[in-house]
Amino acid sequence: TENRYETVHTFKSALEQVQLPTCQHSTHLIKNIIVVGSKHGIGTTHIAYSLVSYFNHLGYQAFYVEKNDTDGLRKSARNCKHIKEKDGIYYCKNFKGVPDYDDGIECTLPDHSIQIKDYGVFSEDITELVTENPTIFVFSGSHWDLPRSLQQGLTLKKSHCVQYICNYGNKSAARK
C-alpha cells in the first residue's frame, strides 16, 4: 500500500502533471482492438469507452464501435446530455463512438483511425476475430464465475494477441 495514492484526487493530480506526446493523425499498425467480456454487466463497455477516450486524449484518432445488441451507446446518449450526435457519430469530450446500426446504415470512419470494437458477451464466433486482432478479455473476479470465465479465456488463449482484465467490481473484492 506504500505505492498507492491516498485519494483518487491526488492520483488524478499526478496524472495531469504527466506530459503526453501528441500524435494527431499519425499512422500506426493497429486498426482494430476487440473488447469482449465473460458475461453481461462486468464493465466491458466501460473499459472500451475508456480506451477510446484515452487514445483520443493521447492524440490518436479512435472510435468506439458497438458490435453487440445492447444499444448501450444510444442509451447512454439519451441519459447524458453531454453526449452529442453528428452524422451518426456520438461525441463527448475525448470520446467518439458509433452505435450498432442496422445493415442498411453505414458510418464511414477515417482509414487511419483505431476502432475499439465492443462485442459484449463472449460467444464462440469471437474466436475467429481474435486470431487477427488484439483483444481484451474482461472477466469477473467473482469466485462463482471463474470456472466459466477461465474456460472462455482458454478458448481465446490460442491467439497471442489477448490481454486479460479481471474486473472485481469493488475494492473489497479486489483485496481478497
Side-chain angles (χ1 to χ4, degrees):
T1 59
E2 61 196 41
N3 293 332
R4 296 181 69 140
Y5 289 90
E6 289 294 318
T7 68
V8 72
H9 298 294
T10 57
F11 178 65
K12 182 180 178 192
S13 295
L15 280 178
E16 288 172 346
Q17 299 302 315
V18 176
Q19 296 293 321
L20 298 172
T22 56
C23 308
Q24 197 69 326
H25 300 293
S26 66
T27 58
H28 45 79
L29 297 176
I30 296 174
K31 299 294 183 192
N32 298 297
I33 298 174
I34 294 171
V35 182
V36 63
S38 63
K39 70 176 202 165
H40 179 74
I42 59 167
T44 303
T45 298
H46 183 84
I47 288 170
Y49 281 8
S50 298
L51 194 55
V52 168
S53 296
Y54 180 69
F55 277 131
N56 284 320
H57 176 75
L58 291 178
Y60 294 99
Q61 189 168 32
F63 291 88
Y64 170 84
V65 180
E66 190 172 53
K67 299 297 252 178
N68 58 68
D69 60 1
T70 63
D71 202 29
L73 183 52
R74 285 186 272 214
K75 287 177 186 174
S76 294
R78 283 191 295 272
N79 293 323
C80 181
K81 65 180 179 178
H82 300 294
I83 300 174
K84 305 295 181 198
E85 183 270 334
K86 182 180 178 196
D87 298 328
I89 299 174
Y90 288 80
Y91 298 89
C92 182
K93 297 182 183 175
N94 288 318
F95 178 81
K96 301 174 190 175
V98 179
D100 187 18
Y101 291 118
D102 293 333
D103 292 335
I105 300 174
E106 187 174 323
C107 190
T108 305
L109 300 176
D111 288 336
H112 64 275
S113 66
I114 300 171
Q115 296 180 25
I116 309 299
K117 297 183 176 182
D118 179 0
Y119 279 88
V121 178
F122 176 87
S123 65
E124 289 296 325
D125 44 329
I126 294 293
T127 55
E128 290 181 29
L129 297 170
V130 170
T131 59
E132 301 172 14
N133 298 287
T135 301
I136 297 172
F137 179 64
V138 183
F139 61 97
S140 165
S142 302
H143 61 274
W144 56 85
D145 287 329
L146 281 177
R148 180 178 42 119
S149 296
L150 289 173
Q151 184 62 40
Q152 293 168 340
L154 288 173
T155 303
L156 295 174
K157 191 177 179 184
K158 296 171 187 167
S159 169
H160 66 282
C161 298
V162 179
Q163 297 297 313
Y164 300 88
I165 295 177
C166 182
N167 193 5
Y168 287 101
N170 64 57
K171 190 188 290 186
S172 67
R175 287 184 180 151
K176 291 181 182 178

